[in-house]
Amino acid sequence: MKAKIALITILTDNVPVMVDFYTKVLGFEIAGDHGENVEFHSEGVRFAICSRSILSSITNDHAGFKEERRGQSFELAFPLETREEVDRMYDEIIAKGAAPVASPADMPWGQRTAFFADPDGNIHELFAE
């Protein structure tokens, strides 16, 4: 196997709310809408939102594998061109409805970062070098 990610899918119990957030707040455009599975245009890697029940019906019902959901398990990091853009975009997406987690700040590793959450509580990052 080649170590490469081709698709990132966020599983949710509320596809319409999450699709609304990722399109209206973060600006993704829908590439394909199949009701409970929606894929977005995304440069570099495919990105989708899928109903948790769809994946469960494929994996849990047939393979007998099920684990309880445990807290924050992934983060999407959105690169921006400038440190000022981190501040501006953070204010913009918070005004559109993203939940504020951590305001823009300079990190010890040299990046300017800010954190926000989507409607399911997934924490994501804006950053610039």
Side-chain angles (χ1 to χ4, degrees), residues 6-83:
L7 170 67
I8 295 172
T9 301
I10 297 176
L11 301 176
T12 184
D13 292 323
N14 198 337
V15 172
V17 168
M18 291 289 278
V19 169
D20 195 52
F21 177 83
Y22 281 87
T23 56
K24 293 181 180 170
V25 176
L26 298 185
F28 282 94
E29 294 180 10
I30 294 173
D33 186 342
H34 306 284
E36 292 295 298
N37 184 14
V38 177
E39 189 167 332
F40 301 100
H41 291 285
S42 175
E43 185 179 330
V45 65
R46 292 171 52 214
F47 175 53
I49 299 215
C50 183
S51 169
R52 194 173 269 112
S53 64
I54 289 176
L55 188 63
S56 178
S57 70
I58 296 166
T59 59
N60 296 346
D61 295 348
H62 300 289
F65 180 82
K66 182 172 181 155
E67 248 188 65
E68 293 300 317
R69 200 167 118 194
R70 297 177 293 200
Q72 177 68 33
S73 57
F74 74 98
E75 170 195 356
L76 300 177
F78 298 93
L80 298 170
E81 293 294 320
T82 66
R83 301 165 83 76

Side-chain angles (χ1 to χ4, degrees), residues 83 102-115 125 127-128:
R83 301 165 83 76
S103 298
D106 295 329
M107 296 295 131
W109 52 87
Q111 292 177 330
R112 181 133 180 105
T113 66
F115 296 89
E125 171 185 354
F127 75 94

